Amino acid sequence: MLATNYRGKRRIRVDKDAPMPEIRHPQDSIIKVTRTCICGSDLHLYNGNVPDTRIGSVFGHEFVGTVTEIGSEVTNIKVGDHVIVPFNIACGECIFCEQELYASCHESNAQSTALGGIFGYSHIAGGHQGGQAEYVRVPYSNVGPVVIPENMDLDDAVLLTDILPTGYQAAEMGGIQKGDTVVVFGAGPVGIMAAKCAWLFGAGRVIVIDKEEYRLDFVKKYANCEVYNFLSMDDPVRFIKQITDWLGADVCIDAVGAEAAGDALQTITGRKLLLQAGSATALQWAINSVRKGGIVSVVGVYGPTGNLVPIGNVVNKGITIRAGQASVKRLLPRLIKHVQDGIISPKELITHRIPLEEAADAYRMFSEKLDYIIKPVLIPPSVTY
Amino acid sequence: MNNEIKDHSHIKGWGVDADKKNDPTYPMQNRIDGPSKYERKSQNQQPVLQEVLHSNERPNVSAVTGLGPEPSGLSGKLRRFAFEHGEGEFSHWIPLILADRINAVEGIVNDIKDGRFPDIIKEKGWPAQWKHDKKGLIKKLAVYGAITVGTIWLLRGKGDK
Ligand SMILES: NC(=O)c1ccc[n+]([C@@H]2O[C@H](COP(=O)([O-])OP(=O)(O)OC[C@H]3O[C@@H](n4cnc5c(N)ncnc54)[C@H](O)[C@@H]3O)[C@@H](O)[C@H]2O)c1
Ligand SMILES: [Zn+2]
Ligand SMILES: [Zn+2]
């Protein structure tokens, strides 16, 4: 089968003769992928910044597809079903899954106790092969996969595997109260969704900060928010204070993570020298520009070692930090409904449809923000719809 | 947590201010009452047919494991060493970061051994950069070129002395 194959820092090959995945556990199923996206999270892997990313790994945690084979204990889905597969691999029974912390499953990742299993996300996330391929093995198929409702567009469905739930949870973790001012750092797909969802919780004002003018233009229209380009600011923190009555925002959301730009010291130590687990610029700005007693919600992803963040300010300002990988399964019923009710239309974020064979080009484009890219979807050659 | 449910009635005022909603994870965590305990329920163990390194902060391999590349070669040795150390230790992460770099070289060597010369230009997506951002690509190549020439010049300068 066709599959992406990680060959080293910023090198992706597409193999035509990759081995077909097999059922290895009674709750496994095999899915034939019909849509798969590249995510901002994949860029951390692509840039070689996630430890234990082994050569030969297949990336990809955002995919939908049809079930071609099921294990002996799979009862929740059947061959032929077209399913949404949450990016988290969750057993549904461990103490964390029981509490709906599906991103923290204890039985899907042997390599790290900080994180549950994630498809195609290095051995830190369990070493599971991912969905940027024609076929993928889906463990715990009674728990994760959800049949795509009739009439739902596949492009909407594939954004329900991660991007919409993550943006929604970013807003949810902000504990937004009616009238609150919310600042979202990052106008990538996650930040765009966070801005959109902030309104659902009753925000009074939503502000998005990025450096890519075309993304700011998009989110301004898509999520009716105020947008500002940090490249035109001397000091983004002071700027936010200034536009929030000199108090700071009630809620700040970090939807950027480890690849953040904007601060030379953070960039050099975090992204070039790997002295910290990525550049923590956006998180630093979020902490410094939230009001005293405010809430910082972090969905931007960082590596496992450590980062330079102004923890003293967190203490002095009495800030609450809430963070997490999105618990997709917990949110899916509600978000499917929001999509069906027309409250959110995720597919508008998709700017590029690229054949799976051209994954290397797609990675380069998404990473370098070429051709006004917002969200690329990869389509396997056998899929004609 | 991790305590058996005990009778705390001898502690004056025990629990008088307890408030389920005073939980920053509320309502996203469907908290269960009582002590947290590690137990396997009906999750069957996937047969472990390949080498799975597991964190030393857990007693076992998770019920389900990934089937991604196994540790191999020199990078594999480093990975095995890394997993002897806890997730909070640099002695866990530094060997892994190093192993990733070595693994990339091993990948090239193995490709060549298999008669498959890596097409690095394609793998790096340069054609897309050329198509959409010629200027950026030329600038990047110029910078890399200058660094290479500079390094060679410096090294040669040293050699001359
Ligand atoms: N927690 C989760 O479950 C989860 C799920 C998906 C993605 N993520 C993470 O969310 C983050 C964003 O993902 P994405 O797909 O939108 O990625 P993306 O790379 O497309 O977007 C990131 C955006 O941040 C901008 N940016 C860079 N530095 C900035 C700064 N200092 N301030 C403001 N903006 C800045 C970039 O220009 C870019 O537009 C990533 O870290 C990704 O790993 C987390
Ligand atoms: Zn993602
Ligand atoms: Zn679990």
Side-chain angles (χ1 to χ4, degrees):
Chain A
M1 68 160 182
L2 205 66
T4 52
N5 179 332
Y6 174 69
R7 304 309 300 163
K9 199 173 161 156
R10 294 174 79 79
R11 286 174 52 212
I12 301 282
R13 180 171 88 199
V14 181
D15 287 339
K16 292 203 176 85
D17 50 358
M20 279 288 287
E22 290 167 17
I23 303 256
R24 289 287 184 86
H25 184 275
Q27 269 203 50
D28 283 355
S29 67
I30 305 294
I31 307 278
K32 182 176 190 285
V33 174
T34 53
R35 295 277 188 286
T36 176
C37 291
I38 301 178
C39 175
S41 297
D42 292 324
L43 297 181
H44 314 312
L45 301 171
Y46 180 65
N47 288 327
N49 290 346
V50 180
D52 215 359
T53 305
R54 300 185 191 165
I55 303 306
S57 300
V58 180
F59 292 168
H61 58 270
E62 301 182 2
F63 58 90
V64 295
T66 51
V67 182
T68 57
E69 202 183 334
I70 54 173
S72 58
E73 285 177 13
V74 176
T75 50
N76 197 34
I77 51 171
K78 53 184 194 310
V79 170
D81 281 347
H82 209 151
V83 292
I84 296 171
V85 183
F87 77 84
N88 334 97
I89 302 175
C91 75
E93 291 183 275
C94 69
I95 182 161
F96 304 113
C97 286
E98 224 182 358
Q99 302 181 61
E100 300 197 310
L101 301 173
Y102 297 108
S104 303
C105 176
H106 212 58
E107 295 295 354
S108 54
N109 178 4
Q111 280 84 359
S112 157
T113 55
L115 175 73
I118 299 177
F119 291 98
Y121 209 72
S122 85
H123 276 72
I124 273 197
H128 299 272
Q129 296 291 53
Q132 286 162 10
E134 274 181 302
Y135 293 87
V136 57
R137 164 190 177 234
V138 175
Y140 298 127
S141 286
N142 284 335
V143 183
V146 170
V147 176
I148 302 175
E150 243 178 87
N151 303 326
M152 181 176 277
D153 196 309
L154 288 185
D155 291 353
D156 281 330
V158 73
L159 295 181
L160 279 162
T161 61
D162 176 345
I163 293 307
L164 176 52
T166 300
Y168 184 90
Q169 186 170 316
E172 185 187 33
M173 291 192 299
I176 299 167
Q177 301 295 313
K178 284 194 175 150
D180 273 358
T181 296
V182 180
V183 174
V184 180
F185 292 92
V190 172
I192 294 170
M193 282 305 183
K196 182 93 182 166
C197 293
W199 297 116
L200 306 185
F201 292 91
R205 212 178 148 192
V206 180
I207 298 164
V208 178
I209 309 281
D210 201 299
K211 67 177 175 15
E212 300 295 338
E213 207 56 44
Y214 74 95
R215 291 186 166 198
L216 290 171
D217 286 345
F218 178 87
V219 69
K220 185 177 178 179
K221 284 189 220 100
Y222 182 77
N224 304 306
C225 51
E226 290 168 53
V227 298
Y228 299 101
N229 191 324
F230 70 77
L231 294 180
S232 65
M233 300 169 192
D234 279 340
D235 176 352
V237 172
R238 185 172 185 275
F239 177 83
I240 290 166
K241 292 273 172 67
Q242 196 182 347
I243 61 169
T244 53
D245 229 3
W246 296 103
L247 291 177
D250 299 297
V251 176
C252 283
I253 295 174
D254 170 1
V256 181
E259 313 301 323
D263 181 303
L265 179 72
Q266 288 277 4
T267 303
I268 292 168
T269 56
R271 284 165 53 195
K272 307 289 177 208
L273 302 177
L274 298 190
L275 293 175
Q276 45 165 337
S279 145
T281 306
L283 182 53
Q284 180 183 330
W285 289 350
I287 290 169
N288 289 342
S289 49
V290 79
R291 68 166 166 80
K292 285 178 259 193
I295 298 175
V296 172
S297 162
V298 188
V299 285
V301 163
Y302 296 90
T305 47
N307 286 90
L308 282 174
V309 289
I311 197 73
N313 292 348
V314 174
V315 177
N316 290 341
K317 294 169 83 172
I319 294 169
T320 300
I321 296 184
R322 289 168 103 180
Q325 295 279 351
S327 183
V328 177
K329 179 183 165 65
R330 174 177 69 84
L331 294 170
L332 267 185
R334 183 155 195 89
L335 294 177
I336 287 176
K337 187 154 188 306
H338 281 343
V339 172
Q340 287 177 323
D341 291 348
I343 292 177
I344 301 174
S345 164
K347 63 171 186 255
E348 290 173 42
L349 270 62
I350 293 178
T351 49
H352 289 68
R353 317 172 74 74
I354 300 172
L356 179 60
E357 303 91 296
E358 292 167 26
D361 282 346
Y363 265 91
R364 163 70 60 173
M365 290 173 70
F366 187 57
S367 147
E368 296 289 308
K369 318 272 182 283
L370 300 177
D371 197 31
Y372 306 107
I373 196 163
I374 293 177
K375 188 73 177 170
V377 58
L378 302 174
I379 306 188
S382 58
V383 177
T384 50
Y385 42 89
Chain B
M1 296 273 240
N2 288 326
N3 295 314
E4 296 301 328
I5 297 178
K6 284 191 200 137
D7 180 9
H8 292 292
S9 58
H10 61 287
I11 300 172
K12 201 172 176 186
W14 186 83
V16 292
D17 292 329
D19 174 4
K20 275 210 148 185
K21 288 197 176 175
N22 181 17
D23 173 355
T25 65
Y26 176 88
M28 284 170 286
Q29 182 168 359
N30 181 16
R31 270 218 199 215
I32 49 171
D33 290 329
S36 16
K37 262 193 159 165
Y38 178 64
E39 59 178 327
R40 272 279 166 86
K41 294 187 183 134
S42 65
Q43 308 100 324
N44 297 313
Q45 177 70 51
Q46 169 189 333
V48 183
L49 304 176
Q50 62 177 58
E51 183 178 356
V52 179
L53 299 171
H54 77 80
S55 163
N56 71 359
E57 296 182 23
R58 61 177 298 144
N60 55 4
V61 166
S62 49
V64 152
T65 69
L67 300 170
E70 288 180 82
S72 63
L74 177 60
S75 65
K77 287 207 174 94
L78 274 167
R79 295 192 207 280
R80 287 182 202 112
F81 170 81
F83 275 86
E84 289 169 16
H85 303 266
E87 292 170 55
E89 308 280 345
F90 277 103
S91 47
H92 181 68
W93 300 113
I94 307 249
L96 286 176
I97 293 172
L98 211 63
D100 289 351
R101 300 295 172 263
I102 293 171
N103 199 191
V105 178
E106 290 170 340
I108 294 179
V109 171
N110 289 338
D111 276 351
I112 294 172
K113 270 195 198 152
D114 295 345
R116 176 174 204 165
F117 202 81
D119 185 348
I120 293 187
I121 291 181
K122 191 168 171 209
E123 288 171 3
K124 283 182 142 317
W126 290 121
Q129 185 103 32
W130 179 248
K131 186 169 169 206
H132 298 290
D133 179 30
K134 288 193 181 57
K135 266 192 208 151
L137 183 60
I138 292 166
K139 215 168 104 190
K140 268 195 186 117
L141 291 176
V143 172
Y144 288 149
I147 292 174
T148 316
V149 170
T151 317
I152 293 173
W153 186 75
L154 276 176
L155 290 174
R156 279 188 52 189
K158 264 196 191 144
D160 286 348
K161 274 176 204 162

